[in-house]
């Protein structure tokens, strides 16, 4: 026995990692358990990474190793961006149709090597140049929906025609909403006397990188930034490959926190570090291996504890951390399997005797994502898996001795641990380049009732975000981090309803400093509504005050005035919860200013609030809800009948993700980079029809699988 534990007392050390989707009990990749409970193997689902690699290989074959053709192709097809170091790599540069000089050189090297050019014949050269002034983006990039008439003209499936028309109408309504909301926010910012200050870049330098190819005893310059291929400066350094310090990296980890001797101690758990470029096209799923079906359970029904193994799955590769044990949730009086005590908060999992007492209890588990740039700068992002102390105690500085709250239990399992996370490391909107159609994974054939099928479906949904945001008028964002969370929830008031909950959270959406107040407001509203559109695509029902947009809408409807709060101001919104006040205080302590309804809105007897925070350094304006997240959630199942099963609610959720226009959106929101009638537009047509055909085939299999478990696929509500 562990020397730190005794019967009824459990010391927990937890480890997990990354971003979010929660699932019911699974077996080896399948969200349903076999009669015996043993793992069932499932064939891997297609990945975007393999599709991008195949498209790059095809282009390399056609360029045939001709250095002039390779340079010309990159010059024509890849837009130049400004950032330091290797961020996107060959895959990300090809996938988004854009990149800086370093990433363009990496793509050229892959195109040459793919045609048989020896790696020893290629090297990288660099010099320092004066950094140009940033050029504001001129409108959103073109997407297939810009040519909706031409797109529909080549589509034969009437269902696909209807989906495209519905998406086009929804897009129009969303753009109108952004324009109106941005005008209101501009007025608020102006009233507050706020004007963005654009940082000057005069005198700064940037590293310019290009490729050189051995030419006899010398080297041939291949610089796509100039017409001749000659670089704008003389090489001051050359190397066979980029040094490690030139690459952006990302650390994905799960951190557990516990109370010990009146203090909080963080325990690192599963951790994976990778070049960001290597994950440019990867689907990333994190969670615990047993409920995800990736690790076979090692306990029996009689064991008083459960074992959870933290896992990170990148495409088809799983990395597991150290397993840990928790006390099994005890059934309540009467043995109702839908309810249950949380033994961490009371109850006796051993069937009698004294209640268990935690020693050094685990108080929180956090998903941590660190982005490290080539200069060593770190942008740390944190999202809670669970927090048993709460923001009020943390902001007050009393968390070390605060009371530990119980974990939620749903159908006999800890909801927070019986979950998965999907991480979107988004490097820009995907583009379908002319003559370079990416054979995207067949979203229509993905089965969201499997672990990898759900991961692929969520990845496709997350990758819509940069395109939607830019299409609504948002500025280019660089690296965005978007989480998609699916969890189980119990009905309010102790009812036996079981619900599957999907939530999105934009942990990071950077961007260039806005040129004026109006552009700052438009970018902020596009960022907010793009998340809301993903929620709408996924269907389900969302509460009126579950996200910042709902709070702001309710405040405007009620005629509530707005409150501008500076870092040194003591004013706080009336009627706001203690958690909201604590989060506002924490935000103000970082030096930002806030704009919030002066009175927390109330709908159906429930009050919630949210705010805009204004970064004085970057000038960016972003939203935040009192929950600490940046978007609400939608729920499936459990609303119309008692004793709704976990499987039924999950089937309702999967059905929402499988709607035809969701599958269509993944293709028609792809940037085409050209005018109507281009090969790219034809490729989008082909993709959307093929995926709809696969979706209808897969839909029947899902219907049978759900019916077998006593669940019927439900119909989600229409788009708002």
């Amino acid at each position: 026995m562990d020397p730190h534990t005794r019967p009824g007392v459990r010391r927990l050390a937890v480890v997990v990692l990354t971003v979010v989707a929660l699932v019911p009990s699974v077996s080896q990749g399948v969200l349903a358990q076999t009669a015996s409970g043993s793992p069932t193997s499932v064939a891997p689902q297609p990945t975007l990474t393999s599709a991008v690699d195949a498209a790059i290989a095809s282009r390399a074959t056609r360029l045939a190793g001709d250095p002039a053709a390779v340079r010309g192709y990159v010059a024509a097809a890849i837009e130049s961006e400004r950032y330091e170091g290797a961020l996107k790599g060959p895959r990300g540069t090809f996938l988004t149709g854009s990149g800086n000089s370093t990433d363009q050189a990496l793509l050229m090297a892959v195109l040459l090597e793919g045609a048989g050019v020896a790696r020893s014949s290629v090297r990288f050269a660099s010099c320092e140049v004066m950094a140009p002034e940033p050029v504001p983006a001129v409108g959103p990039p073109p997407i297939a929906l810009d040519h909706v008439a031409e797109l529909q003209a080549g589509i034969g499936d009437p269902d696909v025609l209807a989906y495209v028309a519905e998406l086009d109408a929804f897009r129009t309504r969303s753009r109108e909403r952004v324009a109106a909301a941005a005008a209101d926010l501009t007025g608020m910012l102006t009233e507050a006397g706020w004007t963005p200050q654009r940082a000057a870049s005069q005198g700064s330098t940037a590293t310019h990188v290009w490729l050189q190819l051995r030419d006899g005893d010398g080297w041939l310059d291949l610089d796509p930034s100039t017409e001749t291929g000659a670089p704008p400066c003389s090489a001051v350094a050359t190397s066979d490959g980029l040094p490690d310090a030139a690459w952006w990296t990302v650390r994905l980890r799960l951190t557990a926190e516990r109370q010990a001797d009146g203090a909080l101690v963080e325990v690192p758990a599963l951790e994976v570090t990778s070049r960001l470029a290597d994950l440019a096209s990867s689907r990333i799923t994190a969670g615990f291996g047993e409920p995800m079906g990736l690790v076979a359970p090692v306990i029996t029904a009689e064991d008083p504890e459960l074992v959870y193994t933290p896992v990170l799955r990148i495409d088809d590769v799983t990395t597991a951390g150290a397993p840990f044990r928790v006390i099994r949730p005890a059934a309540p009086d009467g043995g109702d399997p839908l309810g249950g005590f949380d033994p961490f908060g009371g109850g006796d999992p051993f069937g009698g005797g004294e209640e268990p007492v935690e020693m050094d209890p685990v108080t929180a588990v956090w998903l941590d994502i660190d982005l490290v740039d080539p200069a060593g700068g770190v942008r740390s992002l944190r999202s809670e898996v669970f927090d048993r102390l709460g923001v009020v105690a943390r902001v007050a500085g009393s968390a070390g001795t605060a009371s530990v709250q119980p974990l939620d239990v749903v159908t006999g399992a800890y909801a927070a641990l019986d979950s998965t996370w999907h991480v979107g490391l988004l490097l820009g909107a995907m583009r379908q380049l002319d003559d370079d159609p990416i054979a995207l994974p067949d979203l229509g054939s993905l089965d969201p009732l499997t672990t990898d099928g759900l991961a692929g479906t969520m990845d496709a949904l997350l990758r819509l975000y940069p395109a939607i945001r830019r299409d609504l008028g948002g500025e280019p964002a660089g690296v965005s981090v978007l989480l998609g969370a699916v969890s189980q929830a119990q009905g309010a008031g102790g009812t036996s309803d079981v619900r599957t909950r999907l939530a999105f959270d934009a942990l990071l959406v950077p961007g260039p400093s806005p040129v004026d107040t109006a552009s700052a407001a438009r970018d902020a509203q596009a960022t907010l509504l793009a998340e809301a559109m993903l929620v709408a695509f996924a269907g389900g029902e969302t509460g009126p005050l579950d996200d910042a947009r709902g709070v702001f809408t309710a405040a405007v409807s009620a005629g509530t005035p707005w409150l501008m709060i500076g870092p040194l101001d003591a004013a706080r919104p009336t009627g706001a919860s203690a958690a909201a006040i604590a989060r506002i205080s924490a935000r103000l302590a970082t030096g930002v200013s806030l704009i919030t309804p002066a009175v927390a809105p109330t709908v159906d007897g429930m009050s919630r609030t949210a705010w805009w925070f204004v970064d004085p350094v970057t000038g960016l304006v972003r939203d935040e809800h009192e929950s600490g997240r940046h978007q609400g959630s939608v729920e499936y199942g459990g609303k119309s009948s008692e004793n709704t099963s976990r499987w039924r609610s999950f089937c309702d959720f999967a059905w929402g993700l499988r709607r035809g226009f969701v599958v269509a959106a993944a293709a028609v929101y792809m940037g085409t980079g050209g005018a109507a009638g281009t090969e790219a537009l034809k490729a989008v047509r082909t993709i959307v029809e093929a995926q709809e055909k696969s979706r209808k085939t897969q839909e029947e299999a899902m219907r049978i699988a759900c019916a077998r478990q006593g669940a019927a696929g439900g119909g989600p509500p229409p788009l708002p």
Side-chain angles (χ1 to χ4, degrees):
M1 178 179 291
D2 188 320
H4 298 291
T5 65
R6 63 177 185 271
V9 180
R10 292 295 179 266
R11 181 175 183 174
L12 186 62
V14 186
V15 183
V16 195
L17 184 84
T18 181
V19 147
V20 54
L22 196 106
V23 299
S25 295
V26 203
S27 354
Q28 190 70 18
V30 179
L31 295 177
Q33 288 201 301
T34 62
S36 65
S38 60
T40 304
S41 62
V42 173
Q45 303 283 312
T47 66
L48 179 60
T49 297
S50 60
V52 173
D53 287 349
I56 292 176
S58 174
R59 169 52 64 176
T61 298
R62 281 177 283 164
L63 293 173
D66 181 341
V70 168
R71 188 192 68 81
Y73 166 77
V74 172
I78 306 300
E79 295 182 2
S80 292
E81 290 186 289
R82 178 187 168 189
Y83 52 83
E84 284 293 306
L87 171 66
K88 297 184 176 185
R91 289 176 182 146
T93 303
F94 188 86
L95 183 63
T96 63
S98 60
N100 70 350
S101 62
T102 302
D103 283 329
Q104 290 185 34
L106 288 167
L107 176 58
M108 285 194 295
V110 168
L111 291 171
L112 288 169
E113 292 171 34
V117 175
R119 183 67 186 85
S120 59
S121 298
V122 175
R123 72 179 186 182
F124 296 88
S126 63
C127 65
E128 295 297 311
V129 297
M130 293 299 298
E133 286 291 329
V135 178
V138 183
I143 65 172
L145 274 181
D146 290 329
H147 316 296
V148 65
E150 292 83 355
L151 183 64
Q152 290 177 312
I155 294 175
D157 188 323
D159 290 334
V160 175
L161 285 172
Y163 301 146
V164 172
E166 187 178 7
L167 284 164
D168 186 52
F170 186 40
R171 177 201 193 197
T172 299
R173 295 196 301 272
S174 299
R175 282 179 156 185
E176 291 170 351
R177 289 169 181 163
V178 167
D184 291 339
L185 182 55
T186 299
M188 296 178 207
L189 294 170
T190 301
E191 181 181 341
W194 177 82
T195 302
Q197 301 296 318
R198 199 171 181 87
S201 60
Q202 293 181 351
S204 63
T205 61
T207 301
H208 182 78
V209 178
W210 68 98
L211 204 65
Q212 291 183 328
L213 181 67
R214 187 178 297 278
D215 183 18
D217 294 332
W219 294 87
L220 174 66
D221 291 313
L222 300 177
D223 192 333
S225 70
T226 65
E227 292 186 5
T228 63
C233 50
S234 299
V236 296
T238 59
S239 61
D240 293 336
L242 295 180
D244 290 341
W247 296 85
W248 288 66
T249 58
V250 59
R251 287 193 296 265
L252 302 171
R253 53 195 168 89
L254 188 120
T255 305
E257 173 196 82
R258 59 184 178 86
Q259 277 183 341
D261 300 324
L264 297 178
V265 179
E266 291 192 354
V267 180
L270 175 64
E271 179 174 321
V272 173
T273 300
S274 174
R275 289 176 177 174
L276 195 53
D278 292 339
L279 304 182
S281 56
S282 296
R283 64 178 187 231
I284 304 172
T285 307
F288 298 92
E290 289 78 8
M292 289 175 67
L294 299 174
V295 175
V298 296
I299 51 92
T300 66
E302 291 73 31
D303 288 326
E305 297 177 316
L306 296 175
V307 176
Y308 287 91
T309 304
V311 296
L312 176 68
R313 188 162 172 83
I314 299 177
D315 288 332
D316 297 327
V317 178
T318 300
T319 301
F324 63 91
R325 292 176 175 265
V326 299
I327 300 172
R328 181 188 295 275
D333 293 340
D336 180 3
L338 289 177
F341 293 111
D342 170 16
F344 289 128
D348 185 359
F350 299 96
E354 297 181 358
E355 293 184 354
V357 178
E358 291 182 86
M359 300 294 293
D360 300 343
V362 171
T363 51
V365 173
W366 311 97
L367 159 67
D368 290 318
I369 303 175
D370 296 330
L371 300 174
V372 185
D373 63 38
V378 181
R379 183 67 180 266
S380 295
L381 310 172
R382 168 164 279 191
S383 182
E384 72 178 51
V385 175
F386 64 81
D387 180 4
R388 302 172 64 196
L389 299 177
V391 66
V392 175
R394 294 183 184 281
V395 173
S398 59
T401 56
S403 298
V404 179
Q405 300 302 309
L407 287 170
D408 290 337
V409 175
V410 179
T411 61
Y414 295 117
L417 300 178
D418 200 22
S419 306
T420 64
W421 295 265
H422 302 278
V423 188
L425 299 177
L426 309 174
L427 304 181
M430 294 191 298
R431 287 181 57 193
Q432 191 67 268
L433 302 177
D434 287 348
D435 301 323
D436 270 321
I438 299 174
L440 296 175
D442 188 351
L443 180 58
S445 69
L446 295 177
D447 182 0
L449 299 180
T450 67
T451 298
D452 282 348
L454 174 61
T457 303
M458 288 296 297
D459 182 67
L461 203 56
L462 293 172
R463 289 186 186 279
L464 278 172
Y465 179 75
I468 293 173
R469 181 179 168 278
R470 288 284 285 121
D471 190 59
L472 292 175
E475 298 293 325
V479 186
S480 294
V481 180
L482 184 64
L483 311 184
V486 187
S487 60
Q488 296 292 322
Q490 201 80 37
T495 66
S496 56
D497 293 340
V498 180
R499 306 170 188 173
T500 296
R501 179 178 295 157
L502 169 64
F504 294 99
D505 190 18
L507 286 187
L508 175 66
V509 185
S513 298
V515 296
D516 53 33
T517 305
S519 63
R522 183 181 62 251
D523 183 64
Q525 293 287 5
T527 299
L528 173 60
L529 192 58
E531 289 180 81
M533 286 180 69
L534 290 186
V535 171
F537 282 173
E541 299 181 37
T542 182
L545 300 177
D546 283 352
D547 64 359
R549 180 168 167 262
V551 170
F552 299 154
T553 299
V556 171
S557 298
T560 304
W562 292 83
L563 182 65
M564 286 69 171
I565 311 175
L568 301 180
D569 295 337
R572 297 294 184 269
T574 301
S577 66
I581 297 299
R583 291 193 192 280
I584 287 173
S585 299
R587 270 292 179 191
L588 293 172
T590 66
V592 304
S593 297
L594 304 181
I595 300 177
T596 183
V599 179
T602 299
V603 176
D604 297 332
M606 181 175 292
S607 295
R608 295 285 188 274
T609 195
W611 46 87
W612 295 105
F613 63 89
V614 183
D615 190 319
V617 177
T618 65
L620 294 179
V621 180
R622 293 292 182 260
D623 66 280
E624 186 173 54
H625 189 264
E626 69 170 62
S627 64
R629 301 193 183 278
H630 306 276
Q631 188 52 249
S633 59
V634 292
E635 293 185 348
Y636 306 79
K639 293 295 183 70
S640 59
S641 63
E642 290 291 307
N643 298 314
T644 301
S645 70
R646 172 178 287 214
W647 181 260
R648 167 60 190 267
S649 71
F650 192 80
C651 274
D652 287 347
F653 159 65
W655 216 259
L657 293 184
R658 293 288 308 171
R659 290 187 291 174
F661 72 85
V662 176
V663 175
V668 300
Y669 261 99
M670 183 178 293
T672 59
T678 62
E679 292 301 315
L681 197 58
K682 294 178 184 177
V684 170
R685 251 190 239 121
T686 301
I687 289 171
V688 73
E689 287 203 286
Q691 297 207 355
E692 173 60 12
K693 182 177 179 180
S694 298
R695 186 192 72 82
K696 289 175 179 175
T697 301
Q698 181 63 43
E699 188 174 83
E700 183 58 27
M702 278 185 58
R703 193 183 303 277
I704 294 172
C706 288
R708 186 177 296 135
Q709 298 291 332
L719 288 171

